[in-house]
Amino acid sequence: MELEPAPALTGTPAVSFLWGEEAFAEHLWRELLQPDGGEVIATWRERRFAGAPAVVKNVHGAGCCFYVGTYANTPLIMKLIQQLTVETDLKPIVPNLPADIEVRRRSGARGSLIFLLNHTDQTKQVDQVPQGMDLLSGRQME
């Protein structure tokens, strides 16, 4: 893929692109992508970039790569995660987590540990916790 440099965008209005039916606004910078065999996933809508690729997917062997030609803000990252989840049949370790609950898995030769971290000052209810032992209380989780 070849990339053309884009001018600095300080103070310029947002330019948007479409990924399916969903629009994403971009304020900071963008790249004019010229995919060489990749699949265009999203396209710019305005100005000199209108119709040009904003997100390109390339497949190589059993893997793939998404190239995002702009700053990846939170809504765009969430869309990318959603796309990867669908394409890879990825399942969460603990589904339907409340806001501000983080889950981490640490695995080794003797097994794995799952940590649930509450980043708030309030008690949160988490359902569908995997089987195992709660290391803080010693209770068996079923």
Side-chain angles (χ1 to χ4, degrees):
M1 175 181 342
E2 294 181 11
L3 304 174
E4 290 185 20
L9 299 173
T10 305
T12 62
V15 174
S16 65
F17 62 90
L18 280 179
W19 185 329
E21 299 295 318
E22 201 168 344
F24 294 87
E26 185 290 308
H27 297 271
L28 297 176
W29 62 271
R30 65 194 73 93
E31 297 173 340
L32 184 56
L33 306 179
Q34 297 178 351
D36 184 19
E39 175 188 356
V40 175
I41 301 295
T43 55
W44 295 105
R45 297 180 357 166
E46 292 106 10
R47 299 204 288 269
R48 78 177 187 104
F49 282 72
V55 180
V56 175
K57 175 185 172 186
N58 277 300
V59 176
H60 182 76
C64 73
C65 173
F66 285 82
Y67 192 95
V68 179
T70 187
Y71 174 77
N73 57 24
T74 300
L76 181 53
I77 291 169
M78 296 309 294
K79 178 66 175 182
L80 188 57
I81 289 171
Q82 177 187 36
Q83 183 76 27
L84 292 170
T85 299
V86 169
E87 290 195 16
T88 62
D89 196 29
L90 186 64
K91 302 277 190 274
I93 298 168
V94 179
N96 305 315
L97 282 176
D100 297 320
I101 299 295
E102 176 183 354
V103 63
R104 293 281 184 235
R105 174 179 279 161
R106 300 291 183 247
S107 298
R110 298 186 334 180
S112 70
L113 297 171
I114 297 173
F115 297 90
L116 297 173
L117 307 170
N118 182 352
H119 293 285
T120 73
D121 59 358
Q122 300 170 353
T123 300
K124 299 280 185 159
Q125 178 65 36
V126 177
D127 299 318
Q128 301 176 348
V129 177
Q131 278 189 305
M133 179 185 292
D134 179 339
L135 296 178
L136 297 177
S137 69
R139 289 183 310 140
Q140 222 22 59
M141 307 300 293
E142 305 209 20

